[in-house]
């Protein structure tokens, strides 16, 4: 027990000198118009009216003042010359960055953002300390195991040099934090609170294995679940931020979806592992290479692809203008596609796609498994803003107890195909439903509120 305690104390004393407190100052100019009070002569009203004129009142001129807002966070020195790794959200939109080093009293260093990447929530800040600083080494996050001990160091609630201990609770493959998707996040029960952001999560060798980023806390206070960005990922991002000031990522220009059992059967994917291409953006690298909606990606640039997280990770780390081979399954056959990666836009965008005129359809009604399906007439197409190049049938109404509801169809959906058989007309849809087998699984290609995706259901 004493040896174990000594290990924690040794790691704390080793890492703490490299952990800094960061104050991000945002200065906002605010205009305020003073209140106008009236204290007049009691006879003022009488004389003003008698002389036929009113007294002109001058409104006080507005005043401007600066409102100062401060945010607290942490960081870890990764280079003795003064480079600090922290979270992007700690320093984003800051007018001033103040850095306090341990054991320097009230001395404050001015920080400058070297590079910032909102997508990964990482940033590099530089200070000029005038001497070499103690720094922490980034370890290999691939070697961590669930159950390993971990220590979090930082400034929760502004309390500098705080150390908490816990274990690695899990490694999350994909996590949605405030609208951003993070991959392979390290989950820990070492206490992380407001102000810990940007501080290091270290192993018992004193190596940084993660950058503390977020907590799951409905009350706003740590609830036993915290998350850190893996150090290996942080190394890649940090290198680009120092070299280029930004992160350049590879880009395909596709919308993807995970492959389930029904989809694997319908698209005839051996091994039932891969990623389904739900949409190909016009003019994108994927479109230029000939990738199509319905292709299932099983390999990219020599690496296996089994999940959306795999493909996103591999593509992101591939430099733009790189020639790669993409392995896809199309119509049950494996195919190699040559592709040149592009550069991922700053913000995801939907590129314009060509549209074609459609032929008018009848207004018959067909009842199928609780779904009331009608033809997609020109009038209905205009009312529902359905693109001209989408050919399908319209779900007018739905019985919540029917099988179509289990398929997750909704009123307003446009069914483009059923079990990969096109349904441009009501007649074609009726024909496709005759071959639908709920026991083997049903796959529907639908358009809902401007987005195309696949729905699947298999009756167990």
């Amino acid at each position: 027990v004493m040896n174990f305690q000594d290990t924690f104390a040794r790691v704390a004393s080793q890492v703490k000198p490299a952990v800094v407190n960061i104050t991000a100052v945002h200065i906002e100019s605010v205009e305020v118009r003073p209140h106008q009070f009236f204290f007049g002569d009691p006879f003022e009203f009488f004389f003003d009216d008698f002389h036929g004129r009113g007294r002109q009142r001058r409104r006080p001129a507005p005043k401007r003042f600066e409102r100062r807002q401060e945010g607290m966070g942490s960081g870890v020195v990764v280079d003795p010359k003064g480079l600090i790794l922290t979270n992007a959200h700690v320093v984003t939109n800051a007018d001033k960055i103040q850095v306090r080093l341990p054991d320097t009293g009230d001395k404050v260093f001015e920080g400058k953002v070297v590079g910032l990447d909102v997508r990964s929530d990482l940033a590099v800040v530089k200070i000029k300390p005038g001497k070499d600083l103690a720094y922490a080494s980034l370890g290999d996050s691939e070697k961590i195991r669930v159950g390993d001990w971990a220590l979090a160091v930082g400034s929760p609630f502004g309390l500098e040099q705080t150390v908490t201990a816990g274990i690695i609770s899990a490694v999350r493959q994909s996590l949605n934090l405030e609208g951003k998707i993070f991959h392979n996040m390290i989950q820990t029960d070492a206490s992380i609170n407001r102000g810990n952001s940007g501080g290091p999560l270290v192993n018992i060798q004193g190596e940084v294995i993660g950058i503390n980023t977020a907590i799951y806390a409905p009350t706003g206070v740590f609830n036993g679940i915290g998350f850190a960005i893996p150090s290996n990922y942080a190394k890649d991002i940090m290198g680009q931020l120092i070299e280029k000031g930004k992160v350049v990522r590879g880009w395909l220009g596709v919308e993807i979806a995970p492959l389930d059992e029904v989809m694997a059967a319908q698209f005839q994917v051996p091994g039932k592992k891969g990623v389904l291409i739900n949409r190909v953006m016009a003019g994108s690298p994927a479109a230029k290479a000939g990738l199509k909606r319905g292709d299932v990606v099983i390999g990219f640039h020599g690496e296996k692809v089994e999940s959306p997280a795999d493909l996103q990770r591999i593509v992101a780390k591939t430099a733009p203008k790189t020639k790669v081979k993409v392995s896809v399954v199309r119509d049950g056959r494996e195919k190699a596609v040559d592709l040149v990666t592009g550069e991922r836009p700053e913000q995801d965008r939907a590129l314009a796609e060509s549209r074609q005129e459609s032929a008018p359809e009848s207004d018959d009604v067909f009842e199928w498994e609780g779904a009331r399906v009608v033809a997609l007439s020109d009038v209905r197409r205009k009312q529902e803003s359905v693109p001209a190049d989408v050919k399908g049938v319209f779900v007018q109404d739905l019985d919540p107890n029917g099988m179509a509801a289990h398929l997750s169809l909704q009123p307003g959906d446009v069914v483009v195909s059923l079990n990969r058989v096109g349904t441009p007309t009501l007649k074609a849809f009726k024909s496709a439903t005759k071959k639908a087998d709920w026991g083997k699984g049903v796959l529907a290609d639908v358009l809902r509120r401007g987005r195309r995706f696949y729905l699947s259901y298999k009756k167990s």
Side-chain angles (χ1 to χ4, degrees):
V1 173
M2 291 301 297
N3 288 339
F4 191 57
Q5 178 174 286
D6 288 343
T7 298
F8 275 13
R10 174 183 56 79
V11 172
S13 62
Q14 176 183 336
V15 177
K16 283 175 62 179
V19 180
V20 304
N21 172 265
I22 298 176
T23 301
V25 181
H26 177 63
I27 300 174
E28 182 180 11
S29 180
V30 180
E31 180 180 290
V32 174
R33 186 177 293 276
H35 292 291
Q36 190 172 7
F37 297 96
F38 298 95
F39 299 99
D41 188 319
F43 297 101
E44 175 182 42
F45 178 75
F46 171 76
F47 285 112
D48 280 352
D49 281 354
F50 181 79
H51 291 291
R53 65 178 184 273
R55 183 174 297 177
Q56 298 296 320
R57 301 187 184 277
R58 296 182 61 187
R59 293 182 59 85
K63 297 181 178 180
R64 301 192 71 85
F65 70 95
E66 291 185 342
R67 181 165 58 193
R68 178 186 175 101
Q69 296 177 318
E70 294 185 354
M72 304 290 287
S74 305
V76 57
V77 179
V78 292
D79 184 281
K81 300 304 180 184
L83 289 178
I84 299 166
L85 183 61
T86 185
N87 282 144
H89 75 259
V90 171
V91 296
T92 298
N93 298 325
D95 295 304
K96 294 181 181 179
I97 297 173
Q98 299 173 340
V99 179
R100 289 178 173 83
L101 302 176
D103 303 325
T104 56
D106 295 330
K107 188 174 182 180
V108 176
F109 294 87
E110 182 179 349
K112 178 183 178 182
V113 176
V114 175
L116 179 151
D117 181 54
V118 175
R119 198 181 298 277
S120 65
D121 197 20
L122 290 169
V124 175
V125 173
K126 183 174 178 60
I127 61 173
K128 296 180 179 179
K131 64 176 183 178
D132 285 355
L133 300 178
Y135 68 97
S137 299
L138 297 181
D140 186 354
S141 56
E142 290 295 322
K143 294 181 178 179
I144 66 172
R145 302 171 300 175
V146 173
D148 282 349
W149 282 100
L151 277 71
V153 189
S155 305
F157 306 114
L159 302 172
E160 300 177 26
Q161 298 291 290
T162 299
V163 181
T164 57
I167 63 169
I168 303 299
S169 307
V171 177
R172 298 296 174 193
Q173 294 300 313
S174 184
L175 193 67
N176 190 325
L177 298 176
E178 296 185 356
K180 293 191 288 287
I181 303 298
F182 293 85
H183 302 297
N184 301 319
M185 291 287 280
I186 300 171
Q187 181 181 323
T188 181
D189 66 351
S191 293
I192 297 173
N193 279 292
R194 297 184 187 278
N196 269 112
S197 292
L201 184 72
V202 300
N203 58 23
I204 57 174
Q205 282 76 43
E207 299 170 328
V208 177
I209 55 173
I211 300 299
N212 300 321
T213 298
I215 60 174
Y216 175 76
T219 62
V221 180
F222 182 69
N223 201 34
I225 300 177
F227 300 99
I229 300 169
S231 57
N232 286 9
Y233 183 50
K235 288 177 192 176
D236 294 337
I237 299 298
M238 183 179 70
Q240 291 196 56
L241 291 178
I242 294 172
E243 181 184 352
K244 307 172 184 176
K246 65 176 184 177
V247 177
V248 178
R249 294 177 171 87
W251 183 60
L252 289 186
V254 295
E255 184 181 274
I256 56 178
L259 196 70
D260 63 21
E261 185 180 355
V262 175
M263 293 175 181
Q266 287 291 331
F267 290 101
Q268 306 172 57
V269 181
K272 301 180 180 179
K273 295 287 182 68
V275 175
L276 178 66
I277 294 180
N278 186 57
R279 182 168 70 101
V280 178
M281 296 181 182
S284 67
K288 293 175 182 177
L291 291 178
K292 299 179 179 179
R293 185 168 192 268
D295 284 347
V296 177
V297 181
I298 59 174
F300 187 91
H301 206 24
E303 296 190 50
K304 288 185 178 179
V305 173
E306 296 186 350
S307 68
D310 287 343
L311 184 59
Q312 290 168 339
R313 173 181 56 82
I314 299 168
V315 173
K317 73 177 184 180
T318 304
K321 299 182 181 179
T322 301
K323 294 182 179 180
V324 301
K325 283 195 179 294
V326 184
S327 298
V328 301
V329 174
R330 180 182 296 170
D331 298 325
R333 295 181 180 180
E334 188 172 334
K335 178 182 178 66
V337 177
D338 293 320
L339 180 145
V340 177
T341 58
E343 180 177 343
R344 185 168 187 167
E346 290 296 325
Q347 294 182 343
D348 293 337
R349 64 179 184 269
L351 302 180
E353 298 180 7
S354 59
R355 296 184 174 182
Q356 301 175 352
E357 293 298 323
S358 60
E361 301 170 14
S362 66
D363 281 326
D364 294 338
V365 178
F366 176 57
E367 298 280 351
W368 176 67
E369 301 287 7
R372 183 180 174 87
V373 182
V374 298
L376 188 61
S377 64
D378 288 340
V379 174
R380 189 170 289 113
R381 181 185 293 275
K382 185 175 181 180
Q383 289 174 340
E384 303 294 332
S385 300
V386 178
D389 62 337
V390 174
K391 309 291 177 62
V393 292
F394 185 76
V395 179
Q396 191 177 59
D397 200 5
L398 192 73
D399 180 355
N401 298 314
M403 290 298 293
H406 288 295
L407 184 60
S408 298
L409 283 177
Q410 295 182 7
D413 285 350
V414 176
V415 182
V416 179
S417 72
L418 199 68
N419 283 351
R420 303 194 65 205
V421 176
T423 56
T425 64
L426 202 58
K427 181 179 180 181
F429 181 77
K430 292 178 183 178
S431 177
T433 60
K434 293 178 182 178
K435 300 176 182 179
D437 186 337
W438 295 103
K440 293 181 180 179
V442 173
L443 178 76
D445 180 2
V446 304
L447 173 78
R448 178 181 297 166
R449 292 188 289 277
R451 292 193 62 194
R452 286 276 293 274
F453 50 88
Y454 292 98
L455 300 174
S456 62
Y457 180 74
K458 182 178 180 180
K459 187 176 180 181
S460 59

